[in-house]
Amino acid sequence: MRSKSQLAVFLSKLPVFTSPKAYLEQYSTDSEVAADVLWNAYLLGDVSNKVVADLGAGTGILGRGCLELQAKKVFFLEKDESLIKVLEQTAKEGVILNRDITEFDKKVDTVIMNPPFGVQKRKADKVFLEKAILNAKVVYMLGKVEGDGFVDAIAKEHGAKITHRWKYSMPLKATQKFHTKKKHLVEVMCWRVVIMQ
Ligand code: SAH
């Protein structure tokens, strides 16, 4: 990929959720936001030649983006069995792990993830962040802007440090029954957390 916009176009053609499950908080990351997050990670040296994990990979947009940016290896962890066929298409030579986040045990350089926001299931985001911090050197996590205090607290608890925060207005398509508007914008943040070793 030669540019962020080329990456965004590529990502926009990947599959998204067709029948998302609310209790697993299945929302696809918008391709423009995904491209921005991935490009930042790439420029900071956290993707090329690195072992990366996409935790709660969904249809695989973030992990696939890493492969396009020359990651050495990418793990796609996803609990929902019904997504594995889609992931097999998206993940290319990546390694698909069809398991729950609590069973993630690979040591990696970088985690890039858009996990459940913990709205449907409280603390779902906490489990993801702690797992990521324990298994990576640097973590990129997308979440609700309101989660800033919580991310900061967990990072501190583990001797990790937030080095960057990027804010986005992310379009969410009305894929769930309880959504009333066709499309609405959600304020999200991407945190870069560096783990001290
Ligand atoms: N990362 C994808 C999907 C985001 S939605 C993207 O950026 O588009 C969050 C994903 O986490 C969903 O695919 C959901 O099935 C998965 N998930 C939710 N709880 C999980 C758990 N406990 N273990 C593993 N995956 C989980």
Side-chain angles (χ1 to χ4, degrees), residues 112-134:
I112 300 195
M113 63 180 180
N114 181 9
F117 287 178
V119 175
Q120 299 293 324
K121 190 176 170 209
R122 267 192 76 232
K123 304 228 169 123
D125 45 352
K126 181 170 188 255
V127 182
F128 274 78
L129 182 56
E130 290 191 321
K131 262 287 166 191
I133 288 177
L134 290 174

Short mmCIF file of all heavy atoms in Angstrom, two decimals, residues 112-134:
data_model
loop_
_atom_site.label_atom_id
_atom_site.label_comp_id
_atom_site.label_asym_id
_atom_site.label_seq_id
_atom_site.Cartn_x
_atom_site.Cartn_y
_atom_site.Cartn_z
N ILE A 112 -3.82 -4.71 17.63
CA ILE A 112 -4.67 -3.65 17.08
C ILE A 112 -6.08 -4.18 17.13
O ILE A 112 -6.38 -5.23 16.55
CB ILE A 112 -4.28 -3.29 15.63
CG1 ILE A 112 -2.82 -2.81 15.63
CG2 ILE A 112 -5.20 -2.22 15.07
CD1 ILE A 112 -2.38 -2.09 14.38
N MET A 113 -6.95 -3.50 17.87
CA MET A 113 -8.27 -4.10 18.06
C MET A 113 -9.38 -3.07 18.21
O MET A 113 -9.17 -1.97 18.71
CB MET A 113 -8.25 -5.00 19.30
CG MET A 113 -7.97 -4.28 20.60
SD MET A 113 -7.97 -5.44 22.00
CE MET A 113 -7.62 -4.34 23.37
N ASN A 114 -10.53 -3.48 17.74
CA ASN A 114 -11.77 -2.77 18.03
C ASN A 114 -12.67 -3.78 18.71
O ASN A 114 -13.46 -4.46 18.08
CB ASN A 114 -12.41 -2.25 16.74
CG ASN A 114 -13.69 -1.47 17.03
OD1 ASN A 114 -14.00 -1.20 18.20
ND2 ASN A 114 -14.44 -1.15 16.00
N PRO A 115 -12.51 -3.92 20.04
CA PRO A 115 -13.25 -4.96 20.75
C PRO A 115 -14.65 -4.48 21.11
O PRO A 115 -15.00 -3.35 20.80
CB PRO A 115 -12.40 -5.13 22.01
CG PRO A 115 -11.84 -3.77 22.28
CD PRO A 115 -11.65 -3.12 20.93
N PRO A 116 -15.45 -5.34 21.75
CA PRO A 116 -16.75 -4.86 22.25
C PRO A 116 -16.52 -3.66 23.16
O PRO A 116 -15.52 -3.61 23.88
CB PRO A 116 -17.28 -6.05 23.07
CG PRO A 116 -16.48 -7.23 22.67
CD PRO A 116 -15.18 -6.72 22.12
N PHE A 117 -17.43 -2.68 23.09
CA PHE A 117 -17.25 -1.47 23.89
C PHE A 117 -17.71 -1.66 25.34
O PHE A 117 -17.62 -0.75 26.15
CB PHE A 117 -18.03 -0.30 23.27
CG PHE A 117 -17.41 0.23 21.99
CD1 PHE A 117 -18.02 1.27 21.29
CD2 PHE A 117 -16.21 -0.27 21.52
CE1 PHE A 117 -17.46 1.78 20.13
CE2 PHE A 117 -15.64 0.24 20.35
CZ PHE A 117 -16.27 1.27 19.65
N GLY A 118 -18.24 -2.82 25.66
CA GLY A 118 -18.70 -3.05 27.02
C GLY A 118 -20.03 -2.39 27.31
O GLY A 118 -20.34 -2.07 28.45
N VAL A 119 -20.81 -2.16 26.26
CA VAL A 119 -22.13 -1.53 26.44
C VAL A 119 -23.17 -2.62 26.70
O VAL A 119 -23.97 -2.52 27.62
CB VAL A 119 -22.52 -0.71 25.18
CG1 VAL A 119 -23.92 -0.16 25.30
CG2 VAL A 119 -21.52 0.43 24.98
N GLN A 120 -23.13 -3.68 25.89
CA GLN A 120 -24.08 -4.79 26.07
C GLN A 120 -23.66 -5.69 27.22
O GLN A 120 -24.48 -6.16 27.98
CB GLN A 120 -24.16 -5.62 24.78
CG GLN A 120 -24.63 -4.85 23.56
CD GLN A 120 -26.07 -4.42 23.67
OE1 GLN A 120 -26.90 -5.13 24.22
NE2 GLN A 120 -26.37 -3.24 23.16
N LYS A 121 -22.37 -5.93 27.30
CA LYS A 121 -21.86 -6.77 28.37
C LYS A 121 -20.82 -5.96 29.14
O LYS A 121 -19.75 -5.66 28.61
CB LYS A 121 -21.24 -8.04 27.77
CG LYS A 121 -20.91 -9.07 28.81
CD LYS A 121 -20.38 -10.34 28.18
CE LYS A 121 -19.83 -11.24 29.28
NZ LYS A 121 -18.77 -12.10 28.82
N ARG A 122 -21.16 -5.60 30.35
CA ARG A 122 -20.27 -4.73 31.12
C ARG A 122 -18.89 -5.35 31.28
O ARG A 122 -18.75 -6.54 31.48
CB ARG A 122 -20.87 -4.44 32.49
CG ARG A 122 -21.69 -3.16 32.51
CD ARG A 122 -22.03 -2.73 33.93
NE ARG A 122 -20.89 -2.13 34.61
CZ ARG A 122 -20.46 -2.52 35.81
NH1 ARG A 122 -21.03 -3.52 36.43
NH2 ARG A 122 -19.46 -1.90 36.38
N LYS A 123 -17.88 -4.50 31.17
CA LYS A 123 -16.48 -4.89 31.37
C LYS A 123 -15.92 -5.77 30.25
O LYS A 123 -14.80 -6.26 30.36
CB LYS A 123 -16.28 -5.61 32.71
CG LYS A 123 -16.76 -4.79 33.90
CD LYS A 123 -15.72 -4.76 34.99
CE LYS A 123 -16.06 -3.73 36.04
NZ LYS A 123 -16.16 -4.28 37.36
N ALA A 124 -16.67 -5.98 29.18
CA ALA A 124 -16.13 -6.78 28.07
C ALA A 124 -14.86 -6.13 27.56
O ALA A 124 -13.87 -6.80 27.25
CB ALA A 124 -17.16 -6.90 26.96
N ASP A 125 -14.85 -4.80 27.51
CA ASP A 125 -13.68 -4.07 27.01
C ASP A 125 -12.48 -4.22 27.95
O ASP A 125 -11.34 -4.29 27.51
CB ASP A 125 -14.01 -2.59 26.77
CG ASP A 125 -14.81 -1.96 27.91
OD1 ASP A 125 -15.23 -2.70 28.83
OD2 ASP A 125 -15.00 -0.74 27.89
N LYS A 126 -12.76 -4.34 29.25
CA LYS A 126 -11.69 -4.47 30.24
C LYS A 126 -10.93 -5.79 30.04
O LYS A 126 -9.70 -5.83 30.07
CB LYS A 126 -12.29 -4.42 31.64
CG LYS A 126 -11.29 -4.53 32.75
CD LYS A 126 -11.93 -4.22 34.10
CE LYS A 126 -10.87 -4.13 35.19
NZ LYS A 126 -10.83 -5.28 36.07
N VAL A 127 -11.66 -6.85 29.80
CA VAL A 127 -11.04 -8.16 29.59
C VAL A 127 -10.11 -8.10 28.38
O VAL A 127 -8.98 -8.60 28.41
CB VAL A 127 -12.12 -9.26 29.37
CG1 VAL A 127 -11.48 -10.61 29.20
CG2 VAL A 127 -13.10 -9.27 30.53
N PHE A 128 -10.57 -7.46 27.31
CA PHE A 128 -9.75 -7.34 26.10
C PHE A 128 -8.49 -6.52 26.37
O PHE A 128 -7.39 -6.91 25.97
CB PHE A 128 -10.56 -6.69 24.95
CG PHE A 128 -11.37 -7.67 24.16
CD1 PHE A 128 -12.57 -8.17 24.64
CD2 PHE A 128 -10.93 -8.11 22.91
CE1 PHE A 128 -13.32 -9.08 23.90
CE2 PHE A 128 -11.67 -9.02 22.17
CZ PHE A 128 -12.87 -9.51 22.66
N LEU A 129 -8.65 -5.39 27.02
CA LEU A 129 -7.50 -4.52 27.24
C LEU A 129 -6.46 -5.20 28.12
O LEU A 129 -5.25 -5.15 27.84
CB LEU A 129 -7.95 -3.18 27.84
CG LEU A 129 -6.85 -2.16 28.09
CD1 LEU A 129 -6.08 -1.86 26.80
CD2 LEU A 129 -7.43 -0.86 28.66
N GLU A 130 -6.91 -5.88 29.17
CA GLU A 130 -5.95 -6.54 30.05
C GLU A 130 -5.22 -7.67 29.33
O GLU A 130 -4.01 -7.83 29.48
CB GLU A 130 -6.65 -7.04 31.32
CG GLU A 130 -7.05 -5.85 32.18
CD GLU A 130 -7.52 -6.22 33.57
OE1 GLU A 130 -8.23 -7.24 33.71
OE2 GLU A 130 -7.20 -5.47 34.50
N LYS A 131 -5.95 -8.44 28.57
CA LYS A 131 -5.32 -9.52 27.79
C LYS A 131 -4.27 -8.95 26.84
O LYS A 131 -3.18 -9.48 26.69
CB LYS A 131 -6.38 -10.24 26.96
CG LYS A 131 -6.88 -11.50 27.59
CD LYS A 131 -5.83 -12.60 27.50
CE LYS A 131 -6.25 -13.72 28.45
NZ LYS A 131 -5.21 -14.71 28.65
N ALA A 132 -4.64 -7.86 26.17
CA ALA A 132 -3.73 -7.24 25.21
C ALA A 132 -2.47 -6.75 25.91
O ALA A 132 -1.35 -7.01 25.46
CB ALA A 132 -4.44 -6.09 24.50
N ILE A 133 -2.64 -6.07 27.03
CA ILE A 133 -1.48 -5.52 27.76
C ILE A 133 -0.55 -6.65 28.23
O ILE A 133 0.67 -6.54 28.18
CB ILE A 133 -1.94 -4.64 28.94
CG1 ILE A 133 -2.52 -3.32 28.40
CG2 ILE A 133 -0.80 -4.37 29.92
CD1 ILE A 133 -3.08 -2.39 29.47
N LEU A 134 -1.14 -7.76 28.64
CA LEU A 134 -0.32 -8.88 29.14
C LEU A 134 0.43 -9.60 28.02
O LEU A 134 1.42 -10.26 28.27
CB LEU A 134 -1.20 -9.89 29.89
CG LEU A 134 -1.75 -9.40 31.24
CD1 LEU A 134 -2.70 -10.42 31.82
CD2 LEU A 134 -0.61 -9.11 32.22
#
